[in-house]
Amino acid sequence: MLQANGLFNESFYLAQNPDVAAAVASGIIANGFQHFIESGQFQVRQPSPLYDESYYLAANPDVAQLVNSGAFASGFQHYINLGQFENRNPSVLFDSTYYLTENPALVPIIAQGNFTGIEHFVAFGQFEDRSPTALYNSKYYLAQNPDVAFAVARDELTGIQHYINFGAAQNRQFSPFIQPQGSSFPNRVATGDTTPTSTVFLTRSSAPGTVSLEYANNLNFINPLGILYTTVTDITKPVKLSANNLTPNTQYFYRFTNAEGGSSVGSFRTPATLETQQGLRFGATADGQGELMPYISLNNVPERNLDFFVPLGNTISADTISPDLPGVQQAVTSLDFRTKYNEIVSPRLDLNPWANLQASTTFYGTWNDQNLITGFAGGEIPALSAQQLFFGTEGQFINNTDQFNLGLQSWKEYNPIGNQVYGETGDPRTANQEKLYRYQQFGNDGALFILDVRSFRDAPLPQVPDPALDSQINQFLATSFDPNRTLLGKAQLEDLKINLLDSQNAGINWKFIFSTVPIQNLGLYDSANRWEGYAAERRDLLQFIDQNNIENVVFVSGGAGGTIVNELSYQLNFDQPQIPTDAIEITVGSIGYQLDLSSNFIPGTWGSEIMNFSSIDTISQDAKDIYADLDTASSQDQFVQMILNNQLNQLGYDPIGLDETKVNAELIKGSYFAVHNFGWTEFIIDPQTQKLQVNVYGIDPYTQTDIQSIPADIINRQPEIISQFVIDSV
């Protein structure tokens, strides 16, 4: 049995309680332990990092009742006498079930009553570097504290031993899920999947116990419209609540409050119903990696008063090593994925732009391959996949595998999205699967269509082995027109067509289709991963839009690492002429992304990617050398656009831009091609003219090395408009 003094740390207690330290120094009391036993435990003072009275009572309401009734003088007394034998957890730093699971040899010893789990850890485990909880990651702690890593390397102590005896008192962070001196809502709050009458609320509290949610029409929360409750049992997992009694076209404020009394506030607006034309303002961006946090390129988003925001694509990079998950090349477990998602909404360098954005408006989420593993296709047969070591070989499709479902559920946990499921669609790849497709109207101004281009797609075609051979190019193009290949799955494509017709017939002006990969023709580089690799379905969709006279269709797409604007055209087959449509595509840039070029990181913009990773059969070495000597983003943009237009011309595709197209557009600033910045894109529909104004905000790109070596320079960069244009409504 662990005695009270075994769960007490003198140096920690005195460091946390200066008044007690002064009393000990003056001889009023003998030591901190005497004070804790006589007074401190009843004053909710923490005896060591291993026991937290507030946590214990919040996590164990039955114990809190016993303390309130006087059956126990404190939660600490209950834990020493009963709780440790009942495998209750004394703090976030010790998880009894986890400890025994990780150390199965202890189970029979503890079953005999010789030890409790916490007693073993205090007496032996901490000195043997055994992890007391899944929250404690030794690699993370040592990476964050090089001085500790040095001491550990010299066998002076273990990492967890250092934290218990020194690190906790010094407010060092042992887990990315807990901010020692920060808010107990480190990720702030979010809403999403918002309709005129409902929304999904999300937050993560690092304090267990009851969490309340108030929502109101005023920031003072006077006469709230609703109060909801939930319970936090796992601090790594966000909690969600839903409200279904909202009023259309209304600004709301909401506040989460946890068991520690901490709170966090956010706001959002519900969409207007039909017969309302008041304008619309929203934003979108693409790929991000935790390695490049904080996302400085988003700093100005909250001040833009957006109606909603769409993150297009990889909000994390599950298969690269990031600061909060050191040494892990590929996320595999739920905790791995949660660590990745938590990373992008947690403070770094005292900034948290992504969380600030989420709290300022409502989200409509998308996911893409690097939310799970690069290049996966949910409709591929696992046994035939090159990624079968990750997904296994069981199941008809990858989207039937346990690893797929674990990754998808982890994404849903950290995104304010509700639960929708396809029914019996008649298509085995979509039947009874999660439905991430969304359709939402915003009055008569616009409608959004959120596509899931990963969960049901067929395996990508092999890239063209030798782009210098026309025969190989033609073989690729011909195969891409196979009518049996799908990107969306039949059920999702049918939903999209029905909803496009519905929006046109309802008199909705602009239709925004959000895709995590581009639909315009961008040449051979990486084309198998885009709509071009599924050309028959691409033709089917664009032909449907064209022949049904669906007006003002704008594809807003990620996956291009920059802004590329073009009118969309299609072919009946690969050797047929282009048929122009009135639809256009606007790709959006990354918020922060890097690429590994021969063990050196470069910014993951489209320009740097296509110039550095294209083969010399596609882009000559001379051209690459010229590009390397260019020193401004605008000159690099012009050069890459020239090269890309030459490639498009050889394939019979239209050049980049809206000049000499059917679209009536005016370029105000920059160009229709900006692929050397990090940033986001703002879309504004004028309430009177219904013209669409597009503002592309950007900052100079950077790498993880930059943010480590020159952090002040990076965080002081301010998003500026680098491209701006206006498009007339038809």
Side-chain angles (χ1 to χ4, degrees), residues 172-193:
R172 302 202 191 203
Q173 190 171 353
F174 78 88
S175 167
F177 293 97
I178 300 171
Q179 303 289 326
Q181 293 180 301
S183 168
S184 52
F185 287 103
N187 308 150
R188 296 200 64 185
V189 294
T191 59
D193 251 4

Side-chain angles (χ1 to χ4, degrees), residues 563-638:
T563 299
I564 309 175
V565 185
N566 212 341
E567 180 185 52
L568 297 175
S569 61
Y570 64 94
Q571 299 164 282
L572 296 180
N573 210 328
F574 82 97
D575 55 357
Q576 299 296 305
Q578 295 290 325
I579 301 173
T581 73
D582 292 328
I584 66 170
E585 179 175 58
I586 302 170
T587 68
V588 298
S590 304
I591 48 176
Y593 194 76
Q594 65 184 11
L595 297 166
D596 188 349
L597 179 65
S598 301
S599 299
N600 290 315
F601 289 115
I602 61 172
T605 62
W606 172 262
S608 62
E609 180 177 358
I610 194 172
M611 293 303 299
N612 284 288
F613 289 90
S614 292
S615 70
I616 58 174
D617 294 319
T618 306
I619 299 177
S620 70
Q621 187 59 51
D622 287 344
K624 293 187 177 191
D625 292 341
I626 293 172
Y627 172 80
D629 289 335
L630 300 174
D631 57 3
T632 66
S634 59
S635 62
Q636 292 171 333
D637 285 342
Q638 291 173 12

Side-chain angles (χ1 to χ4, degrees), residues 477-728:
L477 296 175
T479 308
S480 72
F481 273 89
D482 180 349
N484 296 313
R485 287 175 50 75
T486 182
L487 185 75
L488 301 180
K490 293 179 182 178
Q492 185 176 194
L493 179 60
E494 188 62 25
D495 282 344
L496 175 59
K497 289 179 177 179
I498 291 171
N499 295 151
L500 280 168
L501 277 178
D502 174 69
S503 64
Q504 180 68 25
N505 294 334
I508 296 173
N509 199 3
W510 291 93
K511 297 89 179 172
F512 298 98
I513 303 175
F514 294 88
S515 169
T516 57
V517 294
I519 193 170
Q520 63 183 286
N521 292 313
L522 290 174
L524 294 177
Y525 178 77
D526 201 32
S527 56
N529 185 49
R530 302 189 298 264
W531 281 85
E532 291 158 280
Y534 305 81
E537 189 164 278
R538 177 184 184 276
R539 173 199 61 205
D540 185 18
L541 176 56
L542 293 178
Q543 188 176 48
F544 177 85
I545 292 170
D546 189 34
Q547 293 181 349
N548 285 279
N549 298 313
I550 301 174
E551 299 171 336
N552 298 322
V553 174
V554 180
F555 283 80
V556 182
S557 302
T563 299
I564 309 175
V565 185
N566 212 341
E567 180 185 52
L568 297 175
S569 61
Y570 64 94
Q571 299 164 282
L572 296 180
N573 210 328
F574 82 97
D575 55 357
Q576 299 296 305
Q578 295 290 325
I579 301 173
T581 73
D582 292 328
I584 66 170
E585 179 175 58
I586 302 170
T587 68
V588 298
S590 304
I591 48 176
Y593 194 76
Q594 65 184 11
L595 297 166
D596 188 349
L597 179 65
S598 301
S599 299
N600 290 315
F601 289 115
I602 61 172
T605 62
W606 172 262
S608 62
E609 180 177 358
I610 194 172
M611 293 303 299
N612 284 288
F613 289 90
S614 292
S615 70
I616 58 174
D617 294 319
T618 306
I619 299 177
S620 70
Q621 187 59 51
D622 287 344
K624 293 187 177 191
D625 292 341
I626 293 172
Y627 172 80
D629 289 335
L630 300 174
D631 57 3
T632 66
S634 59
S635 62
Q636 292 171 333
D637 285 342
Q638 291 173 12
F639 188 75
V640 175
Q641 183 175 1
M642 178 190 69
I643 288 177
L644 183 56
N645 279 338
N646 287 337
Q647 294 179 357
L648 296 178
N649 181 60
Q650 293 172 14
L651 293 168
Y653 299 153
D654 295 330
I656 300 299
L658 297 180
D659 299 328
E660 300 180 11
T661 68
K662 298 165 66 176
V663 180
N664 189 10
E666 177 187 3
L667 184 64
I668 299 172
K669 183 177 182 179
S671 77
Y672 293 116
F673 190 81
V675 293
H676 289 91
N677 302 88
F678 292 159
W680 67 284
T681 303
E682 180 181 39
F683 299 79
I684 306 170
I685 299 174
D686 185 274
Q688 280 76 44
T689 66
Q690 288 290 287
K691 289 185 177 183
L692 174 65
Q693 178 175 318
V694 179
N695 301 323
V696 180
Y697 291 92
I699 64 169
D700 290 340
Y702 56 90
T703 65
Q704 184 178 4
T705 302
D706 295 330
I707 205 162
Q708 290 171 341
S709 59
I710 50 171
D713 174 73
I714 302 301
I715 65 176
N716 285 322
R717 296 179 185 181
Q718 296 299 318
E720 297 179 350
I721 293 178
I722 58 174
S723 174
Q724 185 179 60
F725 49 94
V726 175
I727 303 172
D728 286 350

